[in-house]
Amino acid sequence: PECPPNVPTQAREVLAGTTCHSCLQLVDLAGSERVKKSEAKGERLQEAQHINKSLAALGDVIAALSNAQSGRGRGHVPYRNSKLTWLLQD
């Protein structure tokens, strides 16, 4: 799969003398909507279902990362549940 565009970023804590590097991933989620409300059919319906599944998987990953950081989680982060989360895992 093709990697989404990303923007390297960095933040400096002047008093502590530390620098944090990160990468902002840009992902187009056009079409994420309520399937019933949109009355989509055929290919549009399938696309909306796939996007909604990916968004649910992204929510699961965010929750797992949040729980792991606060010490409440088991440490497993379900990156492999969708292409979106697999691409964003680093």
Side-chain angles (χ1 to χ4, degrees):
E2 187 178 322
C3 292
N6 61 58
V7 179
T9 61
Q10 77 176 21
R12 293 186 191 149
E13 177 61 50
V14 178
L15 297 176
T18 59
T19 302
C20 176
H21 298 273
S22 63
C23 189
L24 176 65
Q25 300 283 342
L26 305 175
V27 180
D28 179 14
L29 297 174
S32 58
E33 55 204 20
R34 295 191 187 278
V35 174
K36 191 173 185 178
K37 190 175 184 179
S38 70
E39 298 179 7
K41 294 180 175 26
E43 282 185 35
R44 289 188 151 214
L45 174 62
Q46 284 186 325
E47 180 183 5
Q49 289 172 333
H50 288 296
I51 290 170
N52 289 337
K53 183 179 176 186
S54 291
L55 287 174
L58 180 60
D60 293 342
V61 167
I62 291 170
L65 289 170
S66 176
N67 289 339
Q69 188 173 15
S70 66
R72 292 178 288 170
R74 296 176 295 158
H76 173 71
V77 180
Y79 290 115
R80 294 184 180 184
N81 289 356
S82 81
K83 287 182 183 179
L84 174 65
T85 54
W86 184 79
L87 287 170
L88 299 176
Q89 69 183 320
D90 58 327

